[in-house]
Amino acid sequence: MTRDGDRSLPARRLRQAMDYLGLSRTRRPSRGPVAEDSTDRRGDYGKTVARLHDDEREVGPLNAAENRRLLRIKLFGATGSILLLIGSLGTGQIPVLQNPVAGTRVLSLPSRMWSTALTMSIGGTIMLVVAWLLIGRFAVGRFSVEVLQGRSPERRMTRRQADRTLMLWIAPIIVAPPL
């Protein structure tokens, strides 16, 4: 396991990801004219992170098929966020005395079924995390194709699409009781 030819494919991919993020312990070949001791030294993560945020070329907007996929991911994340809101009515920090939802039929239902509310909270959280991971393809590119090879994707979601998605996913969590 001393040469790249001896490593298995998953080990090489993990090594490439750690090198890309600046987390590897050993020295790696630099990409371009970089001083020998500037970014390859262990613990010098500021310069490594600055290299990750280098200037990128402008890319085009998403096409119609990618916009449909993005919409599905948005709705999946919004569903997870709403499940998190509903579950937090039973598992969140709702006041015991002077509870505003204690007498209502529908809003107090999650507080009477604690295990169901906990399941909804955890399920909504998992859905939201999966949606964040899925939307990364449209924000920074595919990991195995663009990110590991240091290329920019051909198309990327716009800033307006990203802002609207963020607001759609955060709005239910803002009004939810703290978990």
Side-chain angles (χ1 to χ4, degrees):
M1 300 241 331
T2 58
R3 295 179 303 200
D4 283 338
D6 295 340
R7 294 186 183 155
S8 65
L9 183 64
R12 272 187 284 163
R13 295 238 174 160
L14 179 64
R15 174 62 182 210
Q16 287 174 339
M18 289 180 64
D19 285 347
Y20 181 77
L21 295 173
L23 299 175
S24 64
R25 292 184 179 180
T26 60
R27 299 175 79 75
R28 62 184 173 89
S30 62
R31 294 186 206 168
V34 178
E36 185 66 29
D37 61 341
S38 65
T39 59
D40 292 333
R41 197 171 28 167
R42 184 170 184 241
D44 197 6
Y45 298 117
K47 293 179 182 176
T48 303
V49 171
R51 188 169 22 112
L52 290 176
H53 297 286
D54 199 13
D55 290 336
E56 295 181 0
R57 67 178 180 88
E58 290 293 321
V59 296
L62 300 175
N63 60 25
E66 290 171 332
N67 276 327
R68 281 193 304 274
R69 281 188 230 128
L70 180 63
L71 178 64
R72 289 181 191 138
I73 293 171
K74 281 182 178 180
L75 293 176
F76 184 72
T79 303
S81 186
I82 290 171
L83 283 176
L84 188 58
L85 165 68
I86 295 170
S88 70
L89 292 174
T91 58
Q93 296 296 319
I94 296 177
V96 177
L97 300 174
Q98 299 175 351
N99 188 353
V101 297
T104 59
R105 292 183 180 187
V106 177
L107 291 178
S108 66
L109 191 61
S111 64
R112 292 180 295 199
M113 301 184 320
W114 190 82
S115 60
T116 304
L118 182 64
T119 303
M120 290 176 79
S121 296
I122 293 173
T125 303
I126 291 171
M127 286 176 70
L128 199 54
V129 168
V130 168
W132 273 110
L133 292 174
L134 290 174
I135 207 167
R137 176 180 186 203
F138 298 106
V140 295
R142 294 170 293 182
F143 183 73
S144 63
V145 177
E146 287 95 8
V147 175
L148 281 181
Q149 296 176 3
R151 297 184 307 170
S152 292
E154 293 182 22
R155 293 176 298 281
R156 186 179 291 156
M157 66 189 298
T158 63
R159 175 64 188 250
R160 185 176 183 178
Q161 288 173 323
D163 290 343
R164 287 183 176 200
T165 303
L166 182 67
M167 290 309 298
L168 179 68
W169 291 354
I170 287 181
I173 297 173
I174 288 175
V175 298
L179 291 171

